[in-house]
Amino acid sequence: MKKTLLIALGISLLTFACGTPLSTMRTVKFSPKNDEITTTPSLKQYLANNPNPKIVLRTSSRLNTDNVTEKEQNNYLYNTIESEFLKSGFIVRDRQLFEKIITNTDNNNNYVNLKEKSDTDLIIELTNLDRSIVYQTNKYYDNNGEEKTSSILENRNYYGATIEFKVIMINTNEFAGIYKFNYVPCVNGCEFRPASRPTKRELEETKPYEAVEEDTLIEFVRSATNQLVSEMRK
């Protein structure tokens, strides 16, 4: 009897020392979002006849920022997109040189001139890139896979992202495709344990993070670009 009591006491002390017991492990899941895909028949036909088109990546003015760190990250993402196009057999034109050509009024108003002087077939315009989409839920799954609710989760933010492209055929000045891809966090589940009340020191050391982490964002952009290529060529 004494031995049993000692074992039980030891388990209790171990659980207390480690903090939250293992039984309180919880899992949060979010449902995937459908992507929005529109490809015109003319673009499909063009790519069927021209599998290695000359393209240029343009970025929307609203993606420009004065924040040096964010600007550097954006440039890295643009380079990632262009790299994936190159791997897929596309011929990628220089973005800055294309912008210089298109600022000329004659070229801007005459797509025949623009095509000849830029030697480009398609404009892939990155119209939106949002890395701070908030996902919230009060639902979680316990260790047995049972769905439950908790008010603790109501103030917990998870961050997703979205990226949108528009494709223009220069030769005909046609909007030939619109694409929106989504990154949803915790689709396969994010595990956590309800934490005890944080100390003042923990609060001071915790740095706020209100966007998708860089490595995850880069992988999402790479995957979205490959999916864009696949959808364009279908």
Side-chain angles (χ1 to χ4, degrees):
M1 182 68 177
K2 288 182 178 180
K3 185 176 181 181
T4 303
L5 288 173
L6 286 172
I7 292 173
L9 180 60
I11 294 174
S12 299
L13 289 173
L14 180 61
T15 301
F16 179 79
C18 293
T20 309
L22 292 176
S23 60
T24 60
M25 176 67 76
R26 300 176 180 182
T27 302
V28 168
K29 290 184 179 181
F30 293 100
S31 300
K33 268 187 178 181
N34 292 329
D35 298 322
E36 299 174 23
I37 309 295
T38 302
T39 306
T40 64
S42 55
L43 178 58
K44 293 180 181 180
Q45 184 62 47
Y46 180 82
L47 290 176
N49 296 330
N50 303 275
N52 306 107
K54 301 166 186 175
I55 66 114
V56 65
L57 177 69
R58 294 195 72 200
T59 57
S60 172
S61 58
R62 62 179 170 174
L63 296 177
N64 297 333
T65 175
D66 294 329
N67 184 298
V68 175
T69 302
E70 189 172 344
K71 185 177 292 186
E72 289 177 352
Q73 186 183 49
N74 281 351
N75 284 330
Y76 190 84
L77 294 175
Y78 303 155
N79 292 337
T80 298
I81 294 171
E82 290 174 330
S83 176
E84 295 307 310
F85 275 118
L86 283 170
K87 292 176 184 176
S88 299
F90 286 59
I91 300 169
V92 180
R93 295 304 187 205
D94 183 85
R95 275 179 280 132
Q96 295 180 346
L97 181 59
F98 184 86
E99 289 301 322
K100 289 180 180 179
I101 295 172
I102 204 172
T103 52
N104 185 301
T105 305
D106 292 336
N107 296 330
N108 204 353
N109 295 329
N110 189 323
Y111 274 74
V112 175
N113 286 348
L114 180 59
K115 179 176 174 56
E116 289 178 354
K117 293 186 178 181
S118 66
D119 193 20
T120 303
D121 303 313
L122 303 175
I123 298 175
I124 312 293
E125 186 171 344
L126 177 56
T127 57
N128 185 35
L129 175 59
D130 190 342
R131 68 198 76 189
S132 304
I133 298 177
V134 176
Y135 286 80
Q136 290 181 319
T137 182
N138 66 346
K139 296 189 300 183
Y140 71 92
Y141 296 87
D142 63 15
N143 279 352
N144 297 320
E146 294 183 9
E147 185 179 290
K148 297 183 178 180
T149 60
S150 172
S151 59
I152 296 175
L153 289 170
E154 292 176 356
N155 296 321
R156 183 187 289 263
N157 290 340
Y158 295 85
Y159 290 93
T162 186
I163 189 169
E164 299 177 46
F165 296 94
K166 179 170 65 178
V167 179
I168 302 170
M169 297 176 65
I170 296 181
N171 193 39
T172 58
N173 188 22
E174 176 186 351
F175 287 132
I178 300 176
Y179 308 86
K180 179 179 180 180
F181 303 105
N182 301 291
Y183 164 68
V184 179
C186 305
V187 169
N188 297 319
C190 293
E191 293 184 338
F192 75 99
R193 292 193 182 103
S196 57
R197 192 178 187 88
T199 64
K200 181 179 179 182
R201 180 179 178 181
E202 288 174 331
L203 288 173
E204 290 174 348
E205 291 178 349
T206 301
K207 296 180 180 179
Y209 194 83
E210 299 182 353
V212 176
E213 293 182 3
E214 184 175 338
D215 289 346
T216 301
L217 181 64
I218 291 171
E219 186 55 39
F220 164 60
V221 168
R222 182 178 288 116
S223 174
T225 305
N226 287 323
Q227 191 174 349
L228 169 62
V229 172
S230 176
E231 293 292 342
M232 288 169 62
R233 284 177 166 168
K234 275 187 179 180

